[in-house]
Amino acid sequence: ETYTRAVTWLTRRSREAEAADAPIEVRLFADGRVSAPVGWVPRGLESVVDEAFGRLDDAGRRPRIPAVVVRSGRRFRVELLMGQTRI
């Protein structure tokens, strides 16, 4: 496995998306640009992401969560480093 550090670009769900239980898209932020969606936050973990958004917002920081891109064989996986959002 190989690892590459990245930063995610996530946005809070709107009230309409929350009511429809829409998934939270994950995008990567690199070289001053935002990527197309690379995945979604798994069901059941949305509250963890919302809590991180709240901490970042309360601290006046942007909602960017550190991540690593893991390459395992021919596949890639984005792992959010939620613990690193603690203020």
Side-chain angles (χ1 to χ4, degrees):
E1 290 186 339
T2 58
Y3 300 88
T4 303
R5 294 196 55 81
V7 177
T8 59
W9 184 274
L10 302 158
T11 57
R12 281 192 136 154
R13 292 189 286 187
S14 65
R15 289 184 189 254
E16 295 81 21
E18 184 78 35
D21 198 26
I24 299 173
E25 286 185 342
V26 176
R27 298 171 184 257
L28 297 179
F29 182 76
D31 296 327
R33 296 181 8 204
V34 178
S35 73
V38 295
W40 293 269
V41 173
R43 295 280 182 207
L45 295 179
E46 292 99 339
S47 62
V48 176
V49 172
D50 282 335
E51 183 180 319
F53 279 143
R55 281 196 305 271
L56 293 168
D57 189 43
D58 291 346
R61 294 174 52 194
R62 293 181 176 155
R64 295 186 183 150
I65 297 172
V68 289
V69 178
V70 180
R71 182 175 183 168
S72 181
R74 301 170 96 184
R75 296 179 180 240
F76 291 90
R77 165 178 85 244
V78 176
E79 294 180 359
L80 303 180
L81 304 175
M82 300 304 296
Q84 293 186 14
T85 62
R86 296 216 179 268
I87 307 295

